[in-house]
């Protein structure tokens, strides 16, 4: 998950970098990335890549990168994941930092600036997995 270091938002890299995958591990497939994506999304984390144009243009790498992008499109559509640029993630976390969870009688709600962008979700364990349920919201 992103976190603040002072006023700087750190967006951790959660996926193996392209150079390491292709040149150190010698793997031109996207199997490792697929597994990493699955593991990170299971924990509702941030899937974050750092790719380099000079590595992508090497033999076989451009095809692998295209396969990765196609896979991400499918995963995001299937899981309704938020696809965002780093600046959009930064903006969200800065806005989120200004919000508060408050009790309104028998229910909780989000208040503060930009609270219309947030919803309350309740987490529970089902079959050893964390499952989120969205609270009723307008």
């Amino acid at each position: 998950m992103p976190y603040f270091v002072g006023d700087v938002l750190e967006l951790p890299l959660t996926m193996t970098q392209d150079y390491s995958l292709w040149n150190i591990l010698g793997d031109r497939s996207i199997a490792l990335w697929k597994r990493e994506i699955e593991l990170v999304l299971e924990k509702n984390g941030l899937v974050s890549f750092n790719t380099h144009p000079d590595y992508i243009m090497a033999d076989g790498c451009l095809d692998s990168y295209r396969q990765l992008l196609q896979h991400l499109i499918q995963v995001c559509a299937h899981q309704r994941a938020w696809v965002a640029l780093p600046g959009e993630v930064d903006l969200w976390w800065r806005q989120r930092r200004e919000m508060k969870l408050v009790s309104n009688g028998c229910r909780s709600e989000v208040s503060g600036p930009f609270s219309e962008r947030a919803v309350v979700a309740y987490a529970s364990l089902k079959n050893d997995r964390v499952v989120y349920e969205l609270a009723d919201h307008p």
Side-chain angles (χ1 to χ4, degrees):
M1 297 295 270
Y3 57 92
F4 283 95
V5 177
D7 197 39
V8 174
L9 181 68
E10 180 71 27
L11 301 179
L13 289 178
T14 55
M15 300 294 112
T16 300
Q17 291 194 38
D18 52 359
Y19 181 84
S20 299
L21 180 63
W22 296 330
N23 296 303
I24 295 173
L25 298 176
D27 187 353
R28 296 285 202 255
S29 77
I30 63 167
L32 177 61
W33 277 336
K34 285 175 143 179
R35 182 66 181 132
E36 290 173 332
I37 291 166
E38 180 182 320
L39 290 170
V40 171
L41 291 180
E42 279 179 9
K43 302 296 184 189
N44 299 295
L46 173 72
V47 173
S48 177
F49 287 89
N50 183 14
T51 56
H52 303 83
D54 49 337
Y55 302 143
I56 289 173
M57 300 313 289
D59 289 340
C61 295
L62 188 55
D63 287 336
S64 295
Y65 188 65
R66 285 185 180 121
Q67 290 172 26
L68 171 66
L69 295 177
Q70 286 298 319
H71 179 70
L72 287 171
I73 288 168
Q74 292 170 357
V75 167
C76 291
H78 177 70
Q79 297 198 18
R80 298 183 61 215
W82 180 38
V83 180
L85 296 171
E88 294 169 310
V89 176
D90 178 74
L91 177 62
W92 162 247
W93 280 90
R94 289 178 190 285
Q95 291 174 345
R96 183 181 182 274
R97 185 168 58 172
E98 300 300 317
M99 298 176 204
K100 303 284 185 248
L101 185 62
V102 296
S103 177
N104 185 2
C106 60
R107 54 182 284 228
S108 297
E109 62 185 39
V110 180
S111 70
F114 308 104
S115 59
E116 70 279 357
R117 291 193 65 197
V119 296
V120 176
Y122 297 97
S124 62
L125 278 177
K126 290 187 182 172
N127 300 322
D128 294 326
R129 295 192 63 155
V130 176
V131 177
Y132 293 95
E133 220 174 294
L134 297 180
D136 293 334
H137 63 283

